[in-house]
Amino acid sequence: EVDNLNTLTRMLPIYLSFVLFWAAYSQTGSLMLTQGFVLDLRIGSFSLPVAALNIFNAGSILLFIPFFDRILYPFLRKRNINFTLLRKIGVGFFLPAMAMYYVAGLEVYRLHLFRQGKVFEQKVGTKTMEAVELSILWQIPGFVLIGLAEVFCSISGLEFAYSQAPPTMRSLVNALFLMTTALGSYLSGGLVAFLNAVTSPPWVGENLNLSRLDLYFFVVGSLGLVNVVVFVYFALTYVMVDFTKEKDSSVGPGESSEDKEYDLLVGSSPSTSTTTTSTTTSLVTDTSTGTSTLTYRSTNGDNTEEGQGRRHHNENGTGNGRRNHNHNGSGKKTKTGNSTENNHDENSPLLKPVPIALDSDADSLVELND
């Protein structure tokens, strides 16, 4: 438990870095869309819905994932370039900052056009807004950059959470990683409220033509760059430990890790059960041939032991004995021998099969008696 807590403590700075990443990412569903309302939505005779720009975010993800997986990463591996999980995450943190700087520059130019009077009335839903003569398509690079950042960060972050978490804490660590998404959204909303409270006029007001949305985007982008520097510091000191490739040295030969975990929980392996030993024996004597046969079968759990002894009696008082011993799974043992016996009485009644007691731990058959 102490080791697991230490592992979680080492991972915490990496996870906290994701909060600012998701804060920048959340702009694609909030203020970047708000900026689109005051851009030119007309494409020929068609008016593009503002929310449609997110298709470039999702489309870039669908495009770049197979490109990276099938082309870029194999290319780098062939040239012995070690593009580790932490390096991928670092690149992913840098791209949203660049996206924020891009849309901030776009907002600066939009405000410049507004001051020059290049404005027209645009109806968005039930509202009529003053938009500038700048196509909304200029927002596409910002959405693509953030989609590319998600390919680096989100996928690598999930892989990092799974590989670095101890098996007993894997669900908890993945839940903490997903929680950073919510924390990033809360941070974005809190940052807007804080900046509006300390600035006049507010940077993010109802009328964007009288606000300073560009400065807000610059702040988010700058925080992203600071986040990259802090992340690099912790990444350089982090030691990767892949729990998915570690083997429990306490697991014995032929014992699975699931059995070991079961042992720790209930004190015994699920494959271990209490077994009882049962033995069945019988003795048959054929008076016509003078042969006595003793057979037995001993069962102990999954192991079965079988044995058979045969003795032929003659009137001269000699007898030949043969014992066959078979341990299931251990091979077959055969013993032969000669012994001197009392004469067999031909007038004795025929012996019928009778059960007799036999020690199940015996290694050989007992001497056969008439």
Side-chain angles (χ1 to χ4, degrees):
E1 293 179 358
V2 174
D3 291 339
N4 291 344
L5 183 60
N6 291 336
T7 300
L8 186 60
T9 303
R10 291 191 310 112
M11 298 174 66
L12 192 59
I14 305 296
Y15 278 164
L16 291 178
S17 301
F18 276 90
V19 175
L20 280 170
F21 166 78
W22 291 116
Y25 181 87
S26 67
Q27 306 308 314
T28 60
S30 57
L31 292 180
M32 288 179 67
L33 297 182
T34 304
Q35 183 188 48
F37 290 144
V38 290
L39 295 173
D40 191 354
L41 300 177
R42 298 170 299 182
I43 301 178
S45 59
F46 176 73
S47 182
L48 184 69
V50 176
L53 268 294
N54 268 306
I55 194 174
F56 293 98
N57 179 15
S60 62
I61 294 173
L62 294 176
L63 177 65
F64 285 123
I65 286 178
F67 173 76
F68 287 166
D69 187 55
R70 300 297 182 181
I71 299 177
L72 180 60
Y73 294 155
F75 175 81
L76 295 176
R77 283 193 294 267
K78 287 180 181 179
R79 282 152 182 78
N80 296 322
I81 299 176
N82 190 16
F83 201 29
T84 63
L85 287 177
L86 294 178
R87 291 178 180 177
K88 294 175 186 177
I89 294 173
V91 173
F93 285 167
F94 179 76
L95 292 176
M98 296 299 100
M100 291 298 100
Y101 282 134
Y102 174 80
V103 294
L106 186 65
E107 180 66 10
V108 170
Y109 185 63
R110 189 196 70 79
L111 291 175
H112 173 71
L113 294 177
F114 176 79
R115 296 186 185 100
Q116 288 184 342
K118 296 181 179 181
V119 182
F120 69 98
E121 289 188 351
Q122 178 170 255
K123 190 173 183 179
V124 181
T126 59
K127 292 183 178 182
T128 300
M129 309 184 71
E130 290 183 323
V132 300
E133 296 176 355
L134 180 64
S135 175
I136 192 175
L137 298 180
W138 284 101
Q139 277 192 323
I140 291 178
F143 283 94
V144 172
L145 280 174
I146 291 182
L148 180 59
E150 187 176 4
V151 174
F152 280 112
C153 265
S154 183
I155 296 175
S156 301
L158 287 171
E159 187 177 351
F160 177 83
Y162 183 83
S163 64
Q164 297 301 293
T168 57
M169 300 185 66
R170 197 160 285 160
S171 298
L172 174 62
V173 170
N174 278 275
L176 291 175
F177 172 75
L178 295 176
M179 190 177 68
T180 61
T181 307
L183 294 178
S185 297
Y186 280 118
L187 177 62
S188 176
L191 186 61
V192 170
F194 172 77
L195 292 176
N196 283 346
V198 298
T199 58
S200 182
W203 284 4
V204 186
E206 291 290 335
N207 188 349
L208 292 185
N209 294 322
L210 302 177
S211 302
R212 295 305 305 270
L213 186 60
D214 56 330
L215 295 180
Y216 172 80
F217 284 142
F218 273 124
V219 169
V220 176
S222 299
L223 289 176
L225 289 182
V226 173
N227 185 50
V228 171
V229 174
V230 175
F231 170 79
V232 170
Y233 170 78
F234 285 105
L236 290 176
T237 59
Y238 186 86
V239 179
M240 299 287 287
V241 180
D242 194 348
F243 286 95
T244 62
K245 296 181 180 180
E246 282 195 346
K247 293 183 178 180
D248 188 356
S249 59
S250 63
V251 176
E255 183 181 11
S256 66
S257 59
E258 290 80 3
D259 290 342
K260 190 65 181 177
E261 293 177 1
Y262 191 93
D263 290 346
L264 296 175
L265 291 174
V266 301
S268 62
S269 173
S271 61
T272 303
S273 60
T274 304
T275 59
T276 57
T277 302
S278 61
T279 303
T280 304
T281 62
S282 64
L283 177 65
V284 178
T285 301
D286 188 351
T287 57
S288 62
T289 61
T291 301
S292 298
T293 302
L294 175 68
T295 60
Y296 80 95
R297 179 184 181 89
S298 178
T299 303
N300 184 2
D302 294 333
N303 299 319
T304 301
E305 180 180 337
E306 297 178 350
Q308 186 180 78
R310 220 176 250 108
R311 175 77 39 92
H312 178 71
H313 302 268
N314 55 43
E315 296 180 353
N316 297 324
T318 62
N320 296 321
R322 181 180 180 85
R323 302 179 180 90
N324 293 332
H325 219 37
N326 180 25
H327 295 268
N328 190 18
S330 301
K332 184 175 182 179
K333 299 179 181 179
T334 303
K335 297 181 180 180
T336 61
N338 296 322
S339 61
T340 301
E341 303 287 348
N342 294 328
N343 290 340
H344 181 70
D345 185 4
E346 295 182 353
N347 296 323
S348 61
L350 179 64
L351 295 177
K352 297 180 180 180
V354 294
I356 64 172
L358 181 66
D359 185 0
S360 60
D361 295 330
D363 291 332
S364 63
L365 294 178
V366 297
E367 291 293 333
L368 295 178
N369 297 316
D370 292 341

